[in-house]
Amino acid sequence: MNTPFSSQLESVGWLMEATQVDSEALLVRFFDACTQNPQQIITERLARLSGRVKSHLLATDPTCDAIEERCMLAQRLYHKMLLAFLQAEEDRLKKSDFTALLSKEEFHCSLFACCMEGVFASYSMQEMAFPAIIEVLEIHAFDFGKVIESFVKHEEQLPAHLKQHFVQVEHKVIESLAWQDGSPLHALMMEYEAAHSNGEPLQPSRVHKALQQFLKKCLFVAATRIQDICVRLLLPQSLVQQVWECVKVVLESVRTLLRGRHLDQIIMCSVYGVCKVNQRPVTFRHIIDKYKLQASATPKVFREVCMATAEEEPQDIIKFYNVIYIPAMKDHLLRVCTANAEGASTPVLHSAGSPHRVSSQADVYVSQRRAAEP
């Protein structure tokens, strides 16, 4: 097993080797093949983005004497990765004119941010831990997320330590950052859903493919975390399947529940709802305890959940479950649980009600009083 120090040495060694070749000169033929040569715009943009990073780092640590060098490494890595992207597309499409791609501001900004993140991670610069770079460069997480997979794919010598780092970064984008208010993901989904509802033919456009790829990754992350928390709760496979179906409903039909929120919040609410409908004795306390054991868990996820509007004070996950989740999901929840019911008994919807938090100082809960049996 590599130690943190040996991993850093390996990463820095890779970075130095990867940036030795002058890839910028090799890009000229692609620039010349464009309808309008984009080289000057690309150079100016790169200088502007590097300037933002330098200004931020100097404000954070005025004594740091390696800022110029590390920004230069990121620029050289950017040229290397841009060349790799274009060469791969040239092989695939049998053409050299990539005017459309090379004119996309969000692509270039995201690629440079990805390279800068690689430099920060190589040197273990904790003061620039993700998502600092996209905040400094004012880049949408959804746009940034679209280049991560290609970055890792086209850099075959990327150390395992950095591959794992970018997996974790991508998961942060998928689980919450891409769902924030103002994300282009929401406009993309509205565009897609409007075309679908109007009966327009849905061609496999670049926009459609980007959305489908993102949702596919969401489902993968969700499946992994559902399996983890349900196994820890000792739930039978029939209930695990119901939780999975409920989360799929959110990602496919009720995506507004994720806007400004975290995928783990939806998973925990789905686990609780399924258990309540099936009269399984699992409390939010149990679910939170098991959630805390996940590597990516953070208390903020269950203590601060966005409510109906950004102006409202965030509430704990139980309040969110009662006020937001259940009104949006009760029919779906009952349908899923009835279709995949455990045992012979028919689930009853009123059992989906949640307990209420009774202490603001500690995570203490009591269940709602059940109606007396006739």
Side-chain angles (χ1 to χ4, degrees), residues 45-58:
R45 180 190 298 112
L46 204 54
R48 184 177 71 253
L49 295 175
S50 296
R52 285 192 191 179
V53 174
K54 291 174 189 176
S55 297
H56 179 81
L57 289 175
L58 284 171

Side-chain angles (χ1 to χ4, degrees), residues 236-253:
Q237 189 57 39
S238 59
L239 296 197
V240 177
Q241 181 64 30
Q242 290 178 26
V243 174
W244 165 244
E245 293 294 337
C246 285
V247 174
K248 277 177 63 180
V249 166
V250 173
L251 284 168
E252 293 171 359
S253 307

Side-chain angles (χ1 to χ4, degrees), residues 18 31 34 54 82 119 122 130 144 147 163 214 283 303 308:
F31 296 155
C34 292
K54 291 174 189 176
L82 180 59
V119 172
S122 294
F130 189 79
F144 176 81
V147 307
K163 287 182 181 178
F214 176 78
T283 66
R303 288 177 180 163

Side-chain angles (χ1 to χ4, degrees), residues 83-143:
L83 179 64
F85 283 18
L86 294 176
Q87 288 174 335
E89 287 298 280
E90 183 179 45
D91 292 341
R92 185 175 71 90
L93 300 174
K94 309 303 179 187
K95 70 172 189 176
S96 300
D97 182 359
F98 297 106
T99 301
L101 176 64
L102 290 173
S103 64
K104 293 186 181 301
E105 176 85 8
E106 69 272 14
F107 165 71
H108 290 286
C109 293
S110 296
L111 178 57
F112 176 71
C114 206
C115 295
M116 203 76 248
E117 180 65 28
V119 172
F120 292 151
S122 294
Y123 284 98
S124 299
M125 296 176 65
Q126 295 303 316
E127 69 274 18
M128 288 301 292
F130 189 79
I133 186 58
I134 62 174
E135 293 170 352
V136 170
L137 297 181
E138 298 179 351
I139 297 171
H140 290 298
F142 178 70
D143 291 331

Side-chain angles (χ1 to χ4, degrees), residues 135-175:
E135 293 170 352
V136 170
L137 297 181
E138 298 179 351
I139 297 171
H140 290 298
F142 178 70
D143 291 331
F144 176 81
K146 288 189 289 186
V147 307
I148 294 175
E149 184 177 350
S150 295
F151 180 91
V152 174
K153 175 183 177 182
H154 289 100
E155 182 44 62
E156 297 178 356
Q157 303 305 315
L158 193 68
H161 162 70
L162 288 181
K163 287 182 181 178
Q164 183 59 35
H165 172 77
F166 277 108
V167 167
Q168 293 170 354
V169 166
E170 186 174 44
H171 284 185
K172 289 180 180 178
V173 171
I174 290 168
E175 69 191 16

Side-chain angles (χ1 to χ4, degrees), residues 155-346:
E155 182 44 62
E156 297 178 356
Q157 303 305 315
L158 193 68
H161 162 70
L162 288 181
K163 287 182 181 178
Q164 183 59 35
H165 172 77
F166 277 108
V167 167
Q168 293 170 354
V169 166
E170 186 174 44
H171 284 185
K172 289 180 180 178
V173 171
I174 290 168
E175 69 191 16
S176 63
L177 295 177
W179 298 98
Q180 291 178 344
D181 285 333
S183 171
L185 173 63
H186 304 303
L188 192 63
M189 288 179 172
M190 289 176 63
E191 176 186 332
Y192 175 75
E193 288 165 1
H196 187 273
S197 62
N198 292 334
E200 297 176 17
L202 294 173
Q203 301 297 329
S205 65
R206 182 192 60 81
V207 171
H208 180 204
K209 287 179 180 178
L211 177 57
Q212 291 300 319
Q213 184 179 30
F214 176 78
L215 291 176
K216 183 177 180 180
K217 289 180 178 180
C218 283
L219 288 169
F220 175 80
V221 172
T224 303
R225 295 184 182 180
I226 289 168
Q227 184 67 20
D228 181 272
I229 198 167
C230 288
V231 166
R232 295 182 193 277
L233 287 166
L234 303 178
L235 298 185
Q237 189 57 39
S238 59
L239 296 197
V240 177
Q241 181 64 30
Q242 290 178 26
V243 174
W244 165 244
E245 293 294 337
C246 285
V247 174
K248 277 177 63 180
V249 166
V250 173
L251 284 168
E252 293 171 359
S253 307
V254 198
R255 298 186 189 118
T256 53
L257 279 178
L258 271 162
R259 185 164 190 147
R261 301 189 182 101
H262 197 293
L263 182 61
D264 289 347
Q265 293 163 350
I266 303 303
I267 291 173
M268 285 190 279
C269 285
S270 297
V271 170
Y272 183 79
V274 163
C275 289
K276 291 297 288 184
V277 171
N278 284 276
Q279 300 181 353
R280 189 89 179 181
V282 174
T283 66
F284 258 119
R285 175 72 272 167
H286 294 137
I287 294 169
I288 290 170
D289 283 344
K290 302 307 179 186
Y291 167 73
K292 288 178 181 177
L293 300 176
Q294 294 188 355
S296 59
T298 170
K300 187 175 181 179
V301 169
F302 54 83
R303 288 177 180 163
E304 300 179 25
V305 190
C306 291
M307 299 303 286
T309 66
E311 290 72 29
E312 291 184 63
E313 191 74 20
Q315 301 292 331
D316 63 44
I317 195 166
I318 293 180
K319 185 76 170 180
F320 166 72
Y321 177 88
N322 279 327
V323 176
I324 308 293
Y325 180 87
I326 279 297
M329 283 292 292
K330 62 181 180 181
D331 292 338
H332 299 293
L333 185 63
L334 184 59
R335 174 180 55 78
V336 167
C337 295
T338 301
N340 303 275
E342 180 189 27
S345 61
T346 302

